[in-house]
Amino acid sequence: MKYEYCKTDFIYETSRGDSSVQSGSVFDSTLQNTWKAALERGVFRYALNIQHSKILEGKFSFVAQLNTDRALKRRAPEEITSLTQPFDHDRFNFTKIDETEILFELRRKCDTSTNRHCVIINESPLEFGHCLLLPSRLNCLPQIATQHSLQLAIEIMLLSSNPAFRVGFNSLCGYASVNHLHYHGYYLNYSMLLEHISVQHLSGPCFILVNYPAKGFVFQLPSDKCPETLARDVFKLTNFLVCNNVAHNIYITRGTDFSSSHTNSKICNTVRVYVWARKSSSGAKQNDAFNPAICELIGHLSVKTEAAYWSLTEEQVVEMLSDVCEGPFGQVTDSVKELFED
């Protein structure tokens, strides 16, 4: 199955309103219907079963969900030792998946290249619609964000009219589990703080997230609403981090414009892209509650055990996120500022 699109399909403003997580655009319907069909066929390692969900008490509104199946039944992550580890054809990669795992191919109508972009299931889902975007799947690219793949990830965000849809990326040594270029996408039907939190200008198109435990860098869709411009700016930063051997995570979400005075507005009038420089996960101690990858950095905590779920507090999460990001953020901020002053 192919899903073809062009710029006229992009949706630049959405509203939370009273919409259900299972609603939205033609893209949303395509993703949700093919995902549910795969679930009914038993393609996943387990049927999604979030036993409990809650918002942790405190000012950050972290969402905790108990998902023991993901902790127990997911494929063992690949051992990652370097941010620039080469692609290995002998290890598991997305050319080895069963065809039943492919939901659809994604193609721009004006694209004359032979690149084949795929959207496939995440066989160990953590939320409804959990899928993987595989840019140029058969090119066997390592898990390093490219400008082209960032643009593709931003474009699928613009194809969805459902503000519950999220896109994320874990670098190597940033809890990526497979060294084959991929982005996560899924629906999380909670209003998250990072959709409207205030940010501070750093330089050029780059802003910083400071009033949050995980300090990081932020970009938004520019005034010309061009995904290519946004992708170019984000890539400038991620390429700098790769060149300096700094692990990182990327989050793409609907949200309010940085200049908006209505921080709690239900209107989402831009796309925000967050980039966190973070401590390497290579050799990191495993946490009983959760591992701080992209979902946890945004405040969505997929908790491994029932004991950890019931005892988890905002203070514990704040401590973990601060530990992961504060040092690397401080080390690179001056250089990032200079990077965007050019």
Side-chain angles (χ1 to χ4, degrees), residues 11-66:
I11 301 159
Y12 295 104
E13 184 173 296
T14 64
S15 173
R16 285 206 155 269
D18 299 319
S19 64
S20 162
V21 67
Q22 296 189 43
S23 65
S25 64
V26 175
F27 173 83
D28 291 306
S29 297
T30 302
L31 173 56
Q32 293 173 16
N33 290 339
T34 55
W35 191 88
K36 286 185 287 187
L39 191 64
E40 291 170 0
R41 293 196 306 270
V43 180
F44 293 80
R45 285 180 174 247
Y46 54 84
L48 181 64
N49 177 28
I50 297 172
Q51 294 104 313
H52 297 283
S53 296
K54 63 182 176 181
I55 298 177
L56 299 184
E57 291 186 11
K59 63 180 181 179
F60 297 111
S61 300
F62 295 134
V63 177
Q65 295 182 318
L66 179 61

Side-chain angles (χ1 to χ4, degrees), residues 194-207:
L194 296 187
E195 294 170 21
H196 53 75
I197 194 170
S198 60
V199 296
Q200 296 179 11
H201 185 240
L202 182 64
S203 65
C206 185
F207 290 70

Side-chain angles (χ1 to χ4, degrees), residues 131-162:
C131 62
L132 300 177
L133 169 66
L134 309 180
S136 306
R137 176 174 73 114
L138 300 180
N139 289 5
C140 299
L141 302 173
Q143 181 68 349
I144 298 174
T146 63
Q147 183 174 327
H148 181 265
S149 69
L150 283 164
Q151 182 177 338
L152 194 64
I154 293 164
E155 288 178 352
I156 68 166
M157 178 62 66
L158 290 171
L159 290 171
S160 170
S161 65
N162 193 322

